[in-house]
Amino acid sequence: MALASGPARRALTCPERLSLGGCGAPKRRAYDWGVRSTRKPEPPPLDRVYEIPGLEPITYAGKMHFMPGLARPVFPPWDPGWTHPKFRVKQALWLTKAKLIEGLPKEVLSLDDPRNHIENQDECVLNVISHARLWHSTEDVPKRETYCPVIVDSLIQLCKSQILKHPSLARRMSAKNCMLSTTWNRESVLFQVRGSSGVQLNAKDPLPPIASREEVEATKNHVLETFYPISPTIDLQECSVYDVQDDTGFRQGYTYPYPHTLYFLETANLRPHRFQPDQLRAKMILFAFGNALAQARLLYGNDAKVLEQPVVVQSVGTDGRVFQFLVLQLNTTDLASDKGIKNLVWVDSDQLLYQHFWCRPVIKKKVVVEPVGPTGFQPETFRKFLALYLHGAV
């Protein structure tokens, strides 16, 4: 018995499709024989009114409904007159009683000095990008969940190469999947931050305060933005908390007790599952605040008060291409009301490490238009990454 292919099987079971003029062969059909139409679909009609100089188009805007024969009107973008609370950063600032400052502090930016740079730094960073996006995986186009952790781990290893130049870098240790749990009261509502922060860099020595005592006192005049008449807690998940004890993820007496930098990786492949940049920054604020609050209570107790020595925690978030940098200084643990001293948050948003990476060359008319590799490389982004890593050790 012979096994027939798809088109032949259809021809044998449907004898009416046979043609005597073709010596019994089935009729040629485009989809059975692999032929596809090369005709391009017609473009959709333009949703705009054609502008002809000297003539005014007649639209059905005044009719308030469609009218055949009249042009489609073009309406200006609708301005509702209020801001949607999807901007998570403002919500996170209210929850943590913090004041936002755009850009990294000058104490961190001052570390971007040629004396602190790595030898052949730009070439090494390009090799890290190519290693993560091309050489590390056997896939033709590696997925985000594959190359994002490799880029961050490789950049951290690149920063560790400065130990010979700055021996105090050896007083640090990185850990993965550390579970954090901390609670606080904000306007008679109990809040809790709980979860894993990905990669966490801890140190034996705490980070020095960034803002001076005068700058901290000046935060009393800052007014926190609210979302009235919408509650700032409108989209937070309600749950039953049976244990309100703070947990930093490390046992008491750990050799590296002070949190230095938290690294957040956005590795979701599907776009609907990814964090938007403002959502990622809000997550960075909350987890940096949670680590600082838990550390402050270990040092100064659970009483709500202004800290004599502020606690500083840094954070870096990335999807493997765009980086978010954050520095948080916890000045007070008195979070019940909006009055008094506020905490401080410095944020440097949407810093591109490279624009795009071509996993395959782009060839047009037998000419390589785009070779394999990254395009739009911006070395300033890694300099900020390195400055945050060196902060506290230089």
Side-chain angles (χ1 to χ4, degrees):
M1 180 182 294
L3 181 63
S5 61
R9 186 187 299 114
R10 283 192 293 269
L12 293 175
T13 56
C14 303
E16 67 274 8
R17 294 180 181 178
L18 299 177
S19 174
L20 297 178
C23 298
K27 295 181 179 179
R28 179 184 291 266
R29 297 190 301 174
Y31 288 93
D32 284 347
W33 293 83
V35 181
R36 296 294 186 270
S37 174
T38 59
R39 181 182 301 175
K40 295 182 179 180
E42 297 182 359
L46 298 177
D47 294 339
R48 65 180 180 86
V49 177
Y50 293 95
E51 298 180 359
I52 302 177
L55 296 178
E56 181 180 358
I58 302 176
T59 66
Y60 54 83
K63 300 291 185 179
M64 301 300 293
H65 60 85
F66 173 76
M67 289 287 294
L70 299 182
R72 176 179 298 178
V74 177
F75 299 102
W78 180 58
D79 183 12
W82 56 281
T83 303
H84 196 276
K86 68 178 181 180
F87 297 101
R88 309 294 184 182
V89 173
K90 296 180 180 179
Q91 186 180 17
L93 293 174
W94 185 89
L95 293 172
T96 58
K97 194 181 178 180
K99 175 185 177 181
L100 177 64
I101 302 175
E102 295 291 342
L104 291 177
K106 59 181 180 180
E107 288 79 4
V108 176
L109 295 177
S110 62
L111 299 178
D112 183 12
D113 189 278
R115 294 174 296 181
N116 297 327
H117 289 179
I118 304 171
E119 185 179 359
N120 301 325
Q121 178 171 291
D122 295 349
E123 181 181 355
C124 292
V125 176
L126 289 173
N127 289 336
V128 166
I129 298 172
S130 298
H131 168 69
R133 298 296 305 265
L134 189 64
W135 307 329
H136 175 74
S137 175
T138 57
E139 299 175 331
D140 293 338
V141 180
K143 297 181 180 180
R144 191 184 303 268
E145 61 183 5
T146 301
Y147 67 78
C148 184
V150 177
I151 285 183
V152 174
D153 291 343
S154 299
L155 292 181
I156 293 177
Q157 293 296 327
L158 196 59
C159 296
K160 287 182 180 179
S161 64
Q162 297 293 83
I163 290 182
L164 296 178
K165 189 182 297 185
H166 306 288
S168 56
L169 291 177
R171 299 174 58 85
R172 298 178 180 178
M173 180 65 68
S174 60
K176 293 184 178 181
N177 301 325
C178 300
M179 295 298 298
L180 169 71
S181 176
T182 183
T183 58
W184 70 97
N185 284 286
R186 187 83 169 90
E187 291 188 355
S188 69
V189 180
L190 182 65
F191 296 96
Q192 182 184 53
V193 171
R194 182 180 60 203
S196 173
S197 58
V199 181
Q200 180 172 336
L201 182 66
N202 280 36
K204 292 185 177 181
D205 307 309
L207 285 171
I210 294 176
S212 63
R213 178 57 61 181
E214 292 75 15
E215 294 174 337
V216 173
E217 290 291 336
T219 60
K220 292 181 179 180
N221 302 325
H222 178 69
V223 179
L224 297 176
E225 185 175 356
T226 61
F227 308 98
Y228 182 83
I230 300 176
S231 172
T233 63
I234 185 174
D235 56 350
L236 298 183
Q237 180 182 359
E238 295 186 8
C239 61
S240 299
V241 179
Y242 302 98
D243 186 6
V244 294
Q245 298 295 326
D246 295 332
D247 184 9
T248 61
F250 301 94
R251 294 182 179 179
Q252 189 175 2
Y254 181 56
T255 312
Y256 306 88
Y258 299 100
H260 186 278
T261 305
L262 312 177
Y263 296 93
F264 294 89
L265 311 181
E266 182 49 57
T267 59
N269 293 319
L270 300 178
R271 188 177 297 273
H273 298 167
R274 299 177 192 169
F275 271 41
Q276 297 297 322
D278 61 317
Q279 294 176 326
L280 181 59
R281 289 191 291 268
K283 180 179 179 180
M284 294 164 58
I285 293 175
L286 290 174
F287 273 86
F289 170 81
N291 277 273
L293 182 61
Q295 185 63 32
R297 288 174 177 171
L298 288 177
L299 297 175
Y300 306 106
N302 296 329
D303 296 336
K305 58 183 178 180
V306 178
L307 303 180
E308 299 177 0
Q309 185 78 3
V311 179
V312 178
V313 177
Q314 302 176 155
S315 183
V316 176
T318 181
D319 61 354
R321 187 178 67 95
V322 183
F323 282 74
Q324 320 285 341
F325 302 109
L326 180 143
V327 179
L328 182 141
Q329 177 171 313
L330 184 70
N331 300 317
T332 178
T333 57
D334 185 8
L335 308 169
S337 65
D338 293 344
K339 299 180 181 179
I341 289 179
K342 314 297 189 302
N343 301 311
L344 294 174
V345 175
W346 290 265
V347 176
D348 197 359
S349 308
D350 300 332
Q351 300 297 308
L352 278 173
L353 182 61
Y354 57 94
Q355 185 68 34
H356 184 72
F357 191 93
W358 294 101
C359 298
R360 300 175 181 175
V362 179
I363 302 176
K364 294 183 178 180
K365 297 182 179 180
K366 300 183 180 181
V367 177
V368 178
V369 179
E370 293 288 350
V372 174
T375 61
F377 173 63
Q378 299 186 12
E380 297 82 7
T381 302
F382 176 74
R383 294 175 189 172
K384 297 177 181 178
F385 187 95
L386 178 61
L388 286 174
Y389 189 88
L390 296 177
H391 186 210
V394 180

